[in-house]
Amino acid sequence: MQVDDCLFCKIARREIPSEVAYEDDEVIAFKDTQPIAPVHLLIIPKEHLLSVNEITPEYEPLIGHLFGVIQRLAQELGVTESGYRVVTNTGADGGQVVGHLHFHLLGGQALNAKIG
Ligand code: 5GP
Ligand code: ZN
């Protein structure tokens, strides 16, 4: 299910333009508009889930598939060997701004802070 006023649902529906790097029936990946690294993609399920807190067992295949997409994108972008980081901010203290589950794929340079 998608949500009418959710930014990332709108991106998934192509109502708001984005630079799409990958798409299938369940997942879409697009460039972050404010990149903090040379490689900075956002990978999301098309279904509206608020955050990690909503990943119940029925979504395990979807999340497994999504991580397969992340692996493939890392390969395509040439960061598999050099390394990369996958980040999911959850809730206020986690720094989550957009309320639609998303995974940041960051790489292309040495990323310094390990936490925080
Ligand atoms: P959060 O802090 O919720 O984990 O990250 C949200 C991310 O979404 C931020 O890195 C921000 O730059 C990105 N973002 C916000 N609005 C848009 C948009 O309209 N398009 C795209 N492609 N990225 C966005
Ligand atoms: Zn949404």
Side-chain angles (χ1 to χ4, degrees):
M1 194 193 80
Q2 295 200 329
V3 171
D4 284 349
D5 61 354
C6 168
L7 174 64
F8 285 178
C9 282
K10 287 180 179 171
I11 286 177
R13 289 196 298 264
R14 305 287 191 135
E15 292 171 11
I16 291 176
S18 66
E19 290 192 59
V20 175
Y22 176 84
E23 181 175 20
D24 61 31
D25 288 346
E26 294 178 277
V27 170
I28 186 167
F30 49 94
K31 287 189 182 176
D32 197 296
T33 45
Q34 293 181 275
I36 60 167
V39 170
H40 190 171
L41 294 182
L42 299 170
I43 300 91
I44 70 168
K46 288 186 171 178
E47 180 167 349
H48 182 86
L49 298 176
L50 178 61
S51 74
V52 168
N53 291 335
E54 294 193 351
I55 303 175
T56 48
E58 68 191 287
Y59 293 109
E60 285 172 10
L62 170 62
I63 298 303
H65 170 62
L66 186 148
F67 270 85
V69 170
I70 289 174
Q71 275 182 18
R72 196 182 325 172
L73 287 166
Q75 193 79 46
E76 284 175 16
L77 293 164
V79 298
T80 300
E81 303 304 328
S82 55
Y84 57 93
R85 187 174 293 161
V86 179
V87 175
T88 309
N89 299 322
T90 303
D93 283 359
Q96 183 175 9
V97 173
V98 178
H100 181 128
L101 178 65
H102 56 281
F103 297 82
H104 297 255
L105 170 57
L106 300 162
Q109 68 178 41
L111 302 165
N112 41 28
K114 292 289 182 194
I115 297 174

